[in-house]
Amino acid sequence: MIRKLLSITYGWLVAEGAFAAIAPRWALAANARLTLSGFENVGELEPKEWYVDAARAAGVGMLAAGLVGLATERARGASGDADSPAESPVAIETGSEDEN
């Protein structure tokens, strides 16, 4: 179940990253409409150029992270350990109280 959710999340990250990298002004406007829905005149907000550039760079980063995540999940599935149980927990000894 977690593997499927990870793949969906990585796919969403790729889509969001591509949208922000290709059309950062539209992505910022959509984000503003969603996050600032309780405010008036949200459509009149204009981002500064440095903010648009930062949004584009963040989009490229999200796109790269999502693609790496998808590739990792695909490689994990191809190696056959996608359904294997998690490794057993590691026990760490901290010493006993009888040493004093």
Side-chain angles (χ1 to χ4, degrees):
M1 176 71 172
I2 289 290
R3 301 270 184 230
K4 188 176 281 192
L5 288 175
L6 274 175
S7 295
I8 291 169
T9 303
Y10 289 138
W12 180 256
L13 194 60
V14 167
E16 278 288 318
F19 184 50
I22 294 170
R25 286 191 184 276
W26 284 355
L28 289 172
N31 246 349
R33 278 193 298 274
L34 288 173
T35 58
L36 301 175
S37 61
F39 293 91
E40 294 179 7
N41 303 327
V42 174
E44 296 176 12
L45 295 175
E46 278 296 317
K48 301 214 180 217
E49 272 312 304
W50 66 266
Y51 194 71
V52 174
D53 293 340
R56 179 175 284 122
V60 170
M62 288 189 297
L63 182 62
L67 289 174
V68 167
L70 283 174
T72 303
E73 286 300 309
R74 187 172 299 245
R76 225 181 246 165
S79 68
D81 65 350
D83 295 326
S84 65
E87 293 181 20
S88 61
V90 176
I92 300 175
E93 293 183 29
T94 59
S96 66
E97 294 179 13
D98 297 333
E99 290 180 320
N100 293 332

